[in-house]
Amino acid sequence: MADRETRPTTVWSRPERGARGPAPERSRTQITAAALALADAEGLAAVSMRALAQRLGTGPASLYRYVGSRDELLDLMADAVAGELDLSGATGGDWLDDLVGLALQSRDAHVRHPWLADLNDRRGEVLGPHAIDYLDHALGILVPAPGTAGQKLEAIGLLGGLAVLFARREAAATATGDPAARAAHLAAVAAARAAHLAAVAAEGRHPHLLAALTEAGAPPPADRDALFVRLLRRLIPAMLGQGEP
């Protein structure tokens, strides 16, 4: 009996609100949507029960009828983003294509909500209902793929990690200034770095680097989508014991 009483609970393990008290004025979904909008506009640090209550035109105490704490609110927010992914597509085609498509959706969701990566860094990924649906869908995609269940779970974890990494780079590239000017600046910086690396390699003190650069030739134009997809298509099959497709 004591174990049952002390067992940790989540916000989803309890009813949306208590049975007593006046009729509900809003829902967890509405509260979560308002919190998402606040975080997108002002950052995660701006999300507090008081600030959210002001945004909804109510008092903080009323929100605690639906959400027990700020941590629970953050859990709801993270899972709501997972719910933005479209899992309606049928599986059973090319599993790698389907998985790459899912990864692109995940990356785009992190670009839309740049605070999510920091939240997961601090609290760990939340396995709410939508996140569990995502995990099950990804495993369904991988049914025809080679590899053990453990390898497939690791591959899905790598997929998520790369999605976050590329989303952070995308956010940094578009954070300030005109997008076209920013893109031109980044291209110029990349070209300067490549030229510097080539010059250092040509000095002859780094023969392996010189050989690699000579074999690789000129780098392709910067295209984050293409690089993201290329890495996934190389790494995921390798993790599942299949090698590069």
Side-chain angles (χ1 to χ4, degrees), residues 162-178:
L162 282 176
V164 170
L165 173 63
F166 274 75
R168 280 178 162 157
R169 294 180 63 184
E170 183 71 20
T174 59
T176 59
D178 176 71

Side-chain angles (χ1 to χ4, degrees), residues 147-161:
T148 65
Q151 288 173 324
K152 292 177 180 181
L153 288 169
E154 289 175 350
I156 294 169
L158 175 66
L159 179 154

Side-chain angles (χ1 to χ4, degrees), residues 8-85:
T9 61
T10 70
V11 65
W12 298 283
S13 65
R14 302 190 309 276
E16 180 160 337
R17 63 177 302 278
R20 298 181 179 180
E25 300 174 355
R26 50 186 54 87
S27 66
R28 278 181 185 166
T29 300
Q30 293 170 326
I31 293 170
T32 304
L36 286 176
L38 181 59
D40 290 344
E42 303 182 31
L44 192 62
V47 178
S48 67
M49 300 299 277
R50 182 175 299 278
L52 182 58
Q54 291 177 348
R55 193 178 186 93
L56 290 168
T58 187
S62 69
L63 298 184
Y64 287 103
R65 294 164 54 197
Y66 306 88
V67 182
S69 65
R70 181 177 185 267
D71 283 347
E72 288 191 350
L73 177 64
L74 296 177
D75 288 349
L76 289 169
M77 292 166 61
D79 196 60
V81 176
E84 295 177 4
L85 276 60

Side-chain angles (χ1 to χ4, degrees), residues 224-243:
R224 290 188 180 86
D225 280 357
L227 178 59
F228 183 60
V229 170
R230 189 162 63 247
L231 285 176
L232 285 173
R233 295 187 68 86
R234 289 176 179 173
L235 292 174
I236 298 300
M239 289 189 68
L240 299 177
Q242 180 173 306

